[in-house]
Amino acid sequence: MPPGKPQPPHSSSSPGPSGPPDPDGLLLCGARLTDGRTVDVRLSGGRIEAVGTAGSLGGGGGRAAGGSPEGGARVDLTGYLLLPAPAEPHAHPDTALTADGDGPASDDPEDVQRRATEATLLQLGHGATAVRAHVRVGDVQGLGALRAVLRARRSLRGLAEVTTVAVPRVLTGAAGADGLAMLRDALKMGACVVGGCPDVDPDPTGYVEAVLEVASEHGCPVDLHTDAGDPARLARVAAMAGGLRPGVTLGPCGGLSRLPAAAASRAADQLAAAGVTVVCLPQGGCQGAEGRGTAPVRLLRAAGARVAAGSGALRDAANPVGRGDPLEAAYLLASRYGLRPEDAYEAVSASARAALGLPEVRVEAGFPAELLAVRGDRLAGALSLAYSRIVVHRGRVVARTSAVREFCDSAATVELGLPRQGRGELS
């Protein structure tokens, strides 16, 4: 459910200028908001300092970037829709970009670090300024993959916010002792979320109990892979997760969509009552999750459960054509699963950030400067044709993607006045 409106910290919500501008700040000029207004937005210190009508903050110029008469840089966003940046709540950077390789994916730490870095940058280019990275621990790779992803995380500091989830395989029985020790070592190393796949453990309920115990010991959130196709097991998970803070996330939960309507409705009510967040993967499955399909997002939302959307596999064995694009996830929620564009985008932005424990973002003074500008003037159009994007993290532009569509000169384009972005001639 959409969170209530907080009081933005450190600043007034007044749309006018608030104090002297930061010479190292950034002015976004002429951006369109989803309510139809065209505004200038001044960023400073990693936050939105002021939002005013177009031209009121010194943004009357038309240059793409350059000096502003009031100090700092300026970006012309004429023709762009300005949105809170999306977040990626369910990524697998250790296995990303391995679908085209011959044989098993390399577990060499340098290869994992390179893949994790490239995958995160690809998702940043799509607009995701925060990523939750699920990383396998134990078995053959031990803690090597986690160590590599943590190195990638450090190298990406200032570009994207990466949090790591330790994902052990088995936590019960004779083999579970090693898994538990590895999980605790992973948290000491720097993983900040306890994860796992209870569906593949011989004792799924015991697995969840072990995860919740370790999370409680360390004060960590929990993020589990489950198909959620067993309503009795899911009810036990919801009952156990209800009192845990800072919270429990389950995904992709595709099995919920295969349950009889009454059973699915009861499960949705139980998850909502327990405060469990469900992360669905409308673009496809992921490593470590049994079954396919997308969670019944409308049913879960109607029950009051928080539903976020992630991308899942990014060109690995689970989805060799995965794009890792949160706007595509929102597009699918709207086009295939019947959500309004606003609700679909909320699933990859506000709800995804809440699932990651991050503060809310609004295009208002005082909120974090985590923003995405997409060429277009309406959200529905942006989800349909989101080709050109400008990504802002901590108040500075960290990624740009430009797309130009050109058509040959013809009577049709001239007579109908169809838009042409290109200036050259097509041969």
Side-chain angles (χ1 to χ4, degrees), residues 27-362:
L27 187 63
L28 308 178
C29 309
R32 189 178 182 91
L33 303 184
T34 54
D35 62 9
R37 289 181 295 151
T38 300
V39 299
D40 291 349
V41 180
R42 190 163 67 216
L43 313 179
S44 179
R47 291 192 171 270
I48 298 173
E49 184 180 80
V51 178
T53 56
S56 67
L57 304 183
R63 289 173 292 173
S68 166
E70 295 189 356
R74 182 174 63 202
V75 177
D76 182 8
L77 292 184
T78 302
Y80 281 81
L81 186 69
L82 188 62
L83 303 165
E88 174 51 69
H90 195 112
H92 287 268
D94 55 336
T95 59
L97 309 173
T98 58
D100 296 334
D102 296 326
S106 169
D107 287 326
D108 180 81
E110 290 188 4
D111 292 337
V112 175
Q113 182 179 352
R114 175 187 53 77
R115 294 197 304 260
T117 303
E118 184 178 353
T120 304
L121 289 174
L122 283 171
Q123 293 179 299
L124 177 64
H126 292 317
T129 63
V131 175
R132 177 173 278 186
H134 293 252
V135 185
R136 299 166 300 166
V137 299
D139 294 336
V140 176
Q141 70 270 17
L143 295 173
L146 176 62
R147 188 176 291 109
V149 173
L150 289 172
R151 283 200 296 266
R153 175 180 181 268
R154 288 191 292 270
S155 72
L156 291 163
R157 188 171 290 127
L159 294 176
E161 189 74 25
V162 179
T163 57
T164 50
V165 185
V167 182
R169 182 169 177 81
V170 178
L171 293 180
T172 67
D178 290 340
L180 281 169
M182 191 73 68
L183 179 57
R184 290 187 167 94
D185 287 344
L187 295 173
K188 293 175 184 176
M189 181 181 290
C192 38
V193 182
V194 182
C197 308
D199 295 0
V200 301
D201 192 280
D203 179 6
T205 300
Y207 188 107
V208 174
E209 290 173 345
V211 163
L212 294 176
E213 181 180 350
V214 173
S216 181
E217 289 173 4
H218 292 80
C220 294
V222 169
D223 196 328
L224 294 173
H225 290 67
T226 180
D227 183 54
D230 184 333
R233 184 190 303 169
L234 190 62
R236 289 193 294 271
V237 172
M240 289 187 289
L244 185 74
R245 297 293 179 267
V248 174
T249 298
L250 300 180
C253 297
L256 278 175
S257 62
R258 300 190 295 273
L259 293 177
S265 181
R266 283 194 301 271
D269 290 339
Q270 290 162 350
L271 293 172
V276 172
T277 296
V278 175
V279 172
C280 65
L281 302 178
Q283 291 163 293
C286 68
Q287 298 282 355
E290 300 295 324
R292 305 286 289 184
T294 299
V297 292
R298 295 177 66 183
L299 175 67
L300 288 162
R301 285 174 55 88
R306 174 183 288 131
V307 180
S311 300
L314 200 170
R315 302 207 323 255
D316 67 14
N319 186 358
V321 295
R323 297 179 182 176
D325 184 353
L327 266 66
E328 183 183 47
Y331 156 79
L332 289 170
L333 289 178
S335 66
R336 184 178 296 175
Y337 299 104
L339 267 62
R340 298 184 311 127
E342 295 78 9
D343 295 333
Y345 190 75
E346 181 193 39
V348 301
S349 55
S351 293
R353 286 184 63 86
L356 271 58
L358 298 172
E360 184 181 9
V361 174
R362 299 187 185 190

Side-chain angles (χ1 to χ4, degrees), residues 349-420:
S349 55
S351 293
R353 286 184 63 86
L356 271 58
L358 298 172
E360 184 181 9
V361 174
R362 299 187 185 190
V363 188
E364 298 177 15
F367 285 87
E370 304 288 322
L371 303 168
L372 171 64
V374 184
R375 186 170 289 281
D377 59 0
R378 294 287 188 276
L379 184 56
L383 296 185
S384 174
L385 297 169
Y387 297 132
S388 296
R389 310 183 192 187
I390 298 173
V391 186
V392 174
H393 174 53
R394 294 185 180 177
R396 71 187 186 106
V397 174
V398 293
R400 292 175 183 262
T401 301
S402 297
V404 175
R405 179 181 290 110
E406 297 181 274
F407 301 97
C408 293
D409 288 328
S410 71
T413 58
V414 173
E415 291 173 6
L416 298 177
L418 297 178
R420 289 191 63 207

